[in-house]
Each structure stands twice: as structure tokens, then as C-alpha cells.
Amino acid sequence: MATRSDQRTPAGASTAQPARQSITPELRDWIAEQASAGCSPAALRQSLRAAGWDDDVAAQALADALQAPTSNSPEAHHRAPPLAVPAPLLADSPPFLDAGDRQVGVLLTLAQPRLVVFANLLAPEECDALIAAAAPRMARSLTVATQTGGDEINDDRTSDGMFFQRGESPLIQRIEERIARLLNWPIENGEGLQVLHYGPGAEYKPHYDYFDPAEPGTPTIVRRGGQRVGTLVMYLNTPEKGGGTIFPDVQVEVAPQRGNAVFFSYERPDPSTRTLHGGAPVIAGDKWIATKWLREREFI
């Protein structure tokens, strides 16, 4: 059986240009062996990148190798059981959903990953008000440090951001109530609304929003409300060029349009959810978004 010491020598590793790289059966077997030995997807991805694999190819290789294990495979036995997730009421393919104080359009739905693109979730004046309230409080965005359970600066995330407290103002309370009704998820299970600003060239490279169970800091993080089970990204403006929300595993890009939003859920902290996503670089203009992360329990 492969061990963690094998991480630096992935099968088929190459320093070839991305266009020439291919995902071989040997590479998939190596990934599966490393996963069964206890390596996390994040560690495996880093090893592939260090060995010369393009990041998009590495992400696809991980998805291919880990997304559909058989019931007798080691990955299946190590995989966490599914969690309840937020879910808009889409059984009858409605063109609009009732969000309480607003009718929200449904533009696109995917089953795997579970992804929905909404139209007009926010009014133009609400977008402007969120930007105005957030702008004086912006600072370099941090990411969760899964090694420690704290926060850290991450070179993959080149934006500025801030958090509103849940229910901090009438505007925030109104939007949170709308989200809770739209996604059928308790308002208290949501983290505070985060506003992010991306200038020209800024991006957030592909990542997962759930907390990796194999990382030492995860038990500390999930004490506040359990795992993350859903993400809602709301677009507060329309950039001139670039800045889309990308899902590399399924080759989907959601264009940022003011007032619209993209929602996706993940029933387990595992690449099989195919929720790898990122913020593509802003090419011209800038991008403002508001993100709502949803937990499995009350977030305190």
C-alpha cells in the first residue's frame, strides 16, 4: 500500500506544458492509493502541483479518481456520511421562487454538483447599499487556516473583504431572511455575510468551501456550527470583463451580473461533490460580491 511518503512522486508526473498533460490510469491509481493511506485531497493536490501538474489538470484528476468509488473501495469506507443541505424548492421546475419579500428568478440548475443560478436576488439599491456599508471596513481577505483553526493570508486569494455580523442592520437582516426562505435553511445556521472586492487582476484560485476532516484545525473550526454545507455568492456589480465564478470539475462559468447569485451545496466534505470552484481573474473594471456560507447547525 502506498504511504504518505510517496506523495512527492505521483505516477506519471511531468513538467510538460498543461496542454500536453493527460490523466492516465496510473495517475488515478496513485491518487486512490494515497487517499486510502489517509492523504487529504488538499495534500494530494499540492503534491501534484509540486510535481509539475497544471492546477486544473490536478483538480480534474482528483475528481476523476475520488468522485465515484465503489462500495468496496477504501475511499468509500473513509467517506463521511451525507449531511442535510439547504435546498431551494425546484421539484416543479419553477421559473421563479418566493423569497418572502421578493420573487427570485431561476436561470440554471445542475444536479451534480447541486448548483442553481438565481436572477434578481438583490435589488440594485441593495447592491449599492451593501457596497457603501462595506467599503470603509475592507481589509486584505483571509482564508481559514485548516492547520490551526484560525485565519491566514493566502496567495491564492487576492481580494479585500469584510464580514457583517448576522442581523447587524435592517438591510442585512432583510437579506438574510430572504436567503433563509429561498434556500429553506434556518437563518441562525448562516455565517455572517461577507463582502469581497476584486480589483483588476485579482482572483481566488479553485478551492473547496467545506473544511477538510483530515486537517488538524478542522475540529476547532466546526465547533461553531458544524460543517459548511452550502454557499451563496451574490454579485453586487457587473465587471467590465472577467471575474466569473468557475467550476472546473464540470466546466461551468457563471457570469457575474449585478443582483444575480449562484448557489451550490455539498452534502459531505469530499471532492465527490464536484464543488471545486474559484473566482476567475478580473480583466477590466472591478468586482464586488457578497458571500453567505451555510453551516449544518447554528453558527455561534
Side-chain angles (χ1 to χ4, degrees), residues 199-220:
E203 65 178 323
Y204 194 177
K205 293 181 179 178
H207 60 283
Y208 297 99
D209 280 352
Y210 58 71
F211 307 117
D212 188 341
E215 296 292 346
T218 294
T220 299

Side-chain angles (χ1 to χ4, degrees), residues 13-184:
S14 168
T15 57
Q17 294 300 310
R20 298 179 181 177
Q21 293 180 334
S22 60
I23 300 170
T24 64
E26 291 78 14
L27 179 61
R28 293 191 187 95
D29 289 344
W30 179 86
I31 292 172
E33 289 170 0
Q34 293 297 315
S36 68
C39 294
S40 70
L44 285 168
R45 187 170 176 181
Q46 182 59 41
S47 294
L48 289 167
R49 291 169 65 178
W53 288 90
D54 178 74
D55 191 54
D56 288 344
V57 178
Q60 186 62 57
L62 284 167
D64 289 351
L66 301 179
Q67 71 181 6
T70 67
S71 59
N72 293 323
S73 69
E75 298 85 54
H77 292 298
H78 287 294
R79 182 177 290 179
L83 301 169
V85 297
L89 299 178
L90 298 169
D92 297 325
S93 300
F96 298 95
L97 291 175
D98 180 10
D101 64 340
R102 192 173 183 81
Q103 293 289 304
V104 175
V106 179
L107 297 181
L108 172 73
T109 66
L110 287 178
Q112 182 65 9
R114 192 49 174 146
L115 182 152
V116 186
V117 179
F118 294 115
N120 299 312
L121 175 57
L122 298 176
E125 57 270 20
E126 291 175 324
C127 294
D128 293 344
L130 283 172
I131 292 173
R137 297 161 58 176
M138 304 297 282
R140 173 67 188 269
S141 297
L142 303 176
T143 60
V144 174
T146 53
Q147 290 290 318
T148 64
D151 297 319
E152 63 184 0
I153 290 177
N154 187 330
D155 290 339
D156 287 348
R157 190 182 201 186
T158 52
S159 62
D160 294 325
M162 57 77 65
F163 276 95
F164 290 107
Q165 293 296 315
R166 200 168 57 220
E168 177 177 323
S169 70
L171 171 66
I172 299 300
Q173 181 68 25
R174 182 172 71 248
I175 293 172
E176 289 175 334
E177 290 176 355
R178 187 182 304 158
I179 293 169
R181 179 155 179 169
L182 179 68
L183 301 180
N184 291 295

Side-chain angles (χ1 to χ4, degrees), residues 156 158 198 202-207 243-246 277-282 287 289:
D156 287 348
T158 52
Y198 294 80
E203 65 178 323
Y204 194 177
K205 293 181 179 178
H207 60 283
T245 304
I246 57 173
H277 66 286
V282 176
K287 179 177 78 169
I289 63 171

Side-chain angles (χ1 to χ4, degrees), residues 246-259:
I246 57 173
F247 295 84
D249 288 353
V250 290
Q251 299 297 301
V252 166
E253 179 171 356
V254 180
Q257 298 287 326
R258 184 189 194 194

